[in-house]
Amino acid sequence: MRRWTAFGFDPVLLPVLAIFAIYALLVPAAAADDEDGGPLAEFYSYLPAKPDIKLPEISIPFWTDDLKKAKRAYRNGNYDRAVKLFRNAADDGNLVADWYLGHMYRQGRGVPRDDAMAYSYYTRVAEHYDPDEDDQNRLRITVDAMVRIADYQRTGAVNAGLQPDPAGAARSYLKIATAYGHPTAQFWLGVMSIRGEGVKRNPNQGLKWLMASARKRYPPAEAYLGELYWDGKIVRADRTRALMWYILARESSRPEENPEIFDRALQIEANIGEDERIEAAARAKVWDDRYPVDRAKSAAGD
């Protein structure tokens, strides 16, 4: 088994990964199928549809009893119980439990926020990365963990002993975005290219990455595009397009996770005329029809 090491990919696999990337840019995101409505249903789908064949069983089942109970407690906001049950599942080697614990420590849900613990759990998941993995759900989990680690590369984490490494983060995002079309990686490549953070400043390339992420209805990308059109420094100021992107971002997100998007959308609506609001809504509908929002997207947010 080839394991992920410093976000390296086997050169022999690059042609295959390039095909994945092209597919991901052309096809809107779709949720992973999960009969129990569990964590896998909440990841952005950025991989090609699985082939119509019977896949081999993985050694550790995704859906243990503890994991099912933990997911139910998590959805009900009972984070203390969820943490306990996720830990039980994680002790049995369950990657989904490890991913959730990383998320909970990163966000401070049910536990004090602890970037060192979050980084540790994400690393445990990412260490299972295998580009030859047949099970797409398992591959999604590991790739998503790799994105989270790249996030920590970008920002640093003092209590985890990590210094900011924007150049390293940009390289990591690029490999993940190119191989898998992950919307978070695409979004940060866009932002970093516009800012010149970790990469040479290239606003045009940054806009391309943001649009790729927005096609997957990633709320931060849509909101960022809205700000760009409102500000008018990178693109020509267009208040109608600014609101259009915020309408889309609002449709793609949840108020409890991205309240700033909802607040900003209302603020922009209050500062433009009725005709502009009508046109923005019409443009948003055209985009939404072409790239419909996936209601079962990641519960983790960004």
Side-chain angles (χ1 to χ4, degrees):
M1 174 183 291
R2 295 186 182 90
R3 296 207 181 265
W4 163 71
T5 305
F7 298 101
F9 294 96
D10 189 337
V12 176
L13 294 170
L14 289 179
V16 177
L17 298 181
I19 293 173
F20 279 7
I22 293 171
Y23 186 99
L25 289 174
L26 294 177
V27 181
D33 292 333
D34 182 359
E35 293 179 357
D36 293 291
L40 301 181
E42 297 176 341
F43 284 97
Y44 286 92
S45 178
Y46 46 85
L47 300 175
K50 61 185 178 182
D52 187 19
I53 59 175
K54 183 175 177 59
L55 297 177
E57 294 292 332
I58 59 177
S59 57
I60 302 297
F62 271 26
W63 288 109
T64 63
D65 287 341
D66 280 337
L67 189 59
K68 291 180 180 179
K69 293 176 183 177
K71 182 57 172 59
R72 191 176 304 115
Y74 183 91
R75 282 197 164 181
N76 291 334
N78 188 349
Y79 297 128
D80 291 340
R81 175 172 169 77
V83 167
K84 179 179 178 181
L85 292 168
F86 278 134
R87 283 173 176 161
N88 291 340
D91 288 342
D92 291 333
N94 192 288
L95 295 185
V96 176
D98 283 336
W99 183 90
Y100 256 108
L101 286 168
H103 170 57
M104 296 180 80
Y105 275 105
R106 181 171 61 90
Q107 295 290 335
R109 294 185 179 182
V111 291
R113 177 171 176 171
D114 189 330
D115 289 325
M117 289 294 293
Y119 183 82
S120 175
Y121 276 112
Y122 287 137
T123 300
R124 284 172 58 172
V125 177
E127 285 175 348
H128 287 82
Y129 169 74
D130 176 12
D132 297 324
E133 177 61 63
D134 290 321
D135 189 287
Q136 290 189 20
N137 288 332
R138 190 180 179 96
L139 186 57
R140 284 190 184 94
I141 296 290
T142 56
V143 171
D144 192 85
M146 290 160 61
V147 173
R148 304 298 176 181
I149 292 173
D151 290 342
Y152 278 119
Q153 281 184 290
R154 174 175 51 82
T155 63
V158 176
N159 70 337
L162 298 174
Q163 296 299 316
D165 180 10
R171 289 191 296 269
S172 300
Y173 287 136
L174 180 61
K175 290 177 180 178
I176 298 167
T178 300
Y180 299 106
H182 196 291
T184 301
Q186 292 171 331
F187 166 70
W188 281 112
L189 280 172
V191 173
M192 295 172 80
S193 295
I194 288 173
R195 294 176 178 173
E197 179 185 346
V199 295
K200 184 177 179 180
R201 188 172 183 272
N202 188 337
N204 289 334
Q205 184 61 44
L207 288 171
K208 291 178 182 178
W209 282 118
L210 288 174
M211 289 297 293
S213 183
R215 289 189 188 99
K216 296 185 175 70
R217 301 305 303 274
Y218 187 57
E222 294 170 322
Y224 199 90
L225 285 166
E227 285 301 321
L228 291 179
Y229 276 103
W230 186 262
D231 184 64
K233 292 181 179 178
I234 302 299
V235 295
R236 187 180 65 181
D238 187 328
R239 304 197 312 177
T240 300
R241 287 188 183 276
L243 180 57
M244 179 201 85
W245 282 115
Y246 263 102
I247 290 173
L248 292 166
R250 186 168 56 190
E251 292 174 352
S252 305
S253 58
R254 297 168 178 159
E256 66 273 17
E257 292 178 359
N258 300 105
E260 72 285 353
I261 287 177
F262 288 77
D263 292 343
R264 181 58 171 153
L266 288 173
Q267 186 181 51
I268 291 177
E269 285 177 328
N271 283 278
I272 67 175
E274 180 65 19
D275 290 344
E276 291 173 305
R277 287 195 292 270
I278 292 174
E279 183 180 350
R283 289 184 179 184
K285 185 179 186 309
V286 171
W287 183 271
D288 184 57
D289 288 342
R290 186 174 182 183
Y291 303 104
V293 66
D294 180 357
R295 302 294 177 185
K297 61 184 178 296
S298 173
D302 180 56

